[in-house]
Amino acid sequence: MKLTQLRDLASIADTGGLRRAARRLGLSQPALSRSIRELEDELGVKLFDRSIGGMALTEPGRTFAMRGRAVQRELERAREEVLQHVGIDTGEVSIGLSSAAHVALLPRAIVPFRKRFPRVKLHIIESLFPALDAGIRDGSIDFYVGPMATRALGSAIKVEALFDNFRVVIGRKGHPLAAARSLEDLTTAEWVMTSAIAGGDIDLRPLFEERGLPAPVVAVRTQTALSTITVAASSDLITILPQQWLGFARVTGLLAPIHLAEKLAAPEICIVSRATLPLTPAAQHLSDLFHRAAMNEAKALSPQG
């Protein structure tokens, strides 16, 4: 089996046909067809269904293509790792960040990372971990920083706690409930909540139920934190967000915290990566910067901070 055959397989799978794949790779169609035939003969299975409309992966072909892409990614990471170790600034780092990590940690990490690796491309995905699990496992995402619903992810995944977190209730400046000092004072409020925040839409109801209060009225649900704060800033709906959004809320001049006596816990912020293979030097440097930023954030959140 040759690495070029993995390349050829991936190109045909991506383009759906020999002609387009050959054009992409700069090869002749007969050469590309021969490469795939030899691979199928070696494996003893048909990798593609061929038709007038093009070529589509068979079920065994999809399985093999997935593994082949993983091999290609690992080889590319290995090349980047070797070059970075000898001081050649190249490659890509891909990370997943929750909204809290974006607001609290990324500003402290991006400048020193760009200073150390100015030509390494940084790919940032805004999401929560469940959606990034597969990418962490197959190596297409180097690491994730954000809240975790569970740490029971198996030995292939490494989870490190960075700091405990808490949430705040936010409303527009001059909100009729700005003087509220407990959740009981907010039983008449309507809420805007987002599924993009861990512990957001899911945990609001239990906060009221455990205090014997009626269930809150969630009038608007959003997919992003930005949509949430936009709705809150332009209406009488209130929301609950990780405390890191307070700085952003104050900068806009449109939102303000509603100071409650209750301390509203949020899922702890963690950093998640593969346990089976090391990060490239560039990815490790960025991970170290996030660790350092998290230490500063933890100090700021402590009673003495």
Side-chain angles (χ1 to χ4, degrees):
M1 189 179 303
K2 303 173 184 177
L3 293 176
T4 54
Q5 290 174 317
L6 300 181
R7 176 205 64 192
D8 297 343
L9 176 77
S11 186
I12 296 174
D14 289 343
T15 61
L18 275 177
R19 179 180 300 176
R20 291 183 291 272
R23 189 181 303 118
R24 172 191 284 188
L25 296 173
L27 299 174
S28 68
Q29 290 185 52
L32 193 56
S33 179
R34 183 168 59 252
S35 172
I36 297 302
R37 289 289 186 190
E38 290 175 355
L39 182 58
E40 289 178 323
D41 290 344
E42 181 178 349
L43 294 172
V45 297
K46 186 170 71 167
L47 298 174
F48 286 97
D49 286 322
R50 296 158 173 83
S51 67
I52 296 176
M55 297 172 64
L57 287 167
T58 61
E59 187 61 36
R62 281 191 290 272
T63 300
F64 186 78
M66 180 180 67
R67 297 291 187 183
R69 291 180 193 278
V71 169
Q72 288 180 301
R73 278 194 297 269
E74 290 304 328
L75 287 173
E76 181 59 26
R77 292 296 173 87
R79 186 186 73 85
E80 292 175 5
E81 187 168 11
V82 169
L83 293 175
Q84 290 168 13
H85 270 304
V86 297
I88 299 176
D89 185 12
T90 188
E92 178 177 311
V93 174
S94 179
I95 62 174
L97 299 180
S98 72
S99 64
H102 267 89
V103 175
L105 307 181
L106 183 60
R108 294 169 174 163
I110 186 65
V111 172
F113 176 75
R114 294 288 301 145
K115 183 176 181 180
R116 173 65 180 83
F117 291 98
R119 285 179 289 278
V120 170
K121 295 178 181 179
L122 179 58
H123 179 210
I124 300 173
I125 305 165
E126 182 177 359
S127 185
L128 295 174
F129 181 75
L132 304 176
D133 191 351
I136 294 288
R137 292 179 187 276
D138 68 20
S140 58
I141 299 173
D142 290 290
F143 61 86
Y144 160 78
V145 183
M148 293 292 295
T150 178
R151 292 196 186 186
L153 300 170
S155 60
I157 299 295
K158 179 172 66 173
V159 181
E160 302 172 77
L162 295 180
F163 59 87
D164 293 328
N165 206 16
F166 65 91
R167 292 169 291 172
V168 293
V169 176
I170 297 175
R172 67 170 177 83
K173 281 197 171 181
H175 194 284
L177 295 172
R181 291 297 175 262
S182 71
L183 284 174
E184 186 174 4
D185 296 335
L186 300 178
T187 54
T188 61
E190 291 187 318
W191 297 74
V192 50
M193 300 298 296
T194 176
S195 59
I197 303 294
D201 204 3
I202 298 173
D203 286 352
L204 183 61
R205 183 184 292 268
L207 286 176
F208 283 77
E209 289 178 346
E210 66 190 20
R211 293 167 173 81
L213 300 174
V217 176
V218 178
V220 176
R221 286 184 170 85
T222 71
Q223 294 298 314
T224 68
L226 181 59
S227 295
T228 301
I229 62 176
T230 300
V231 171
S234 56
S235 72
D236 279 343
L237 274 66
I238 60 176
T239 191
I240 183 170
L241 293 170
Q243 65 85 32
Q244 288 78 19
W245 279 94
L246 270 181
F248 182 84
R250 290 179 178 130
V251 167
T252 64
L254 300 175
L255 294 158
I258 297 175
H259 298 288
L260 304 184
E262 296 97 336
K263 191 173 181 65
L264 306 175
E268 65 182 352
I269 301 299
C270 301
I271 187 164
V272 183
S273 61
R274 283 194 300 176
T276 52
L277 285 172
L279 297 172
T280 65
Q284 184 61 59
H285 181 65
L286 185 56
S287 174
D288 293 342
L289 290 171
F290 271 97
H291 274 89
R292 189 182 310 163
M295 291 177 62
N296 292 331
E297 180 69 11
K299 290 178 182 177
L301 294 177
S302 68
Q304 297 80 22

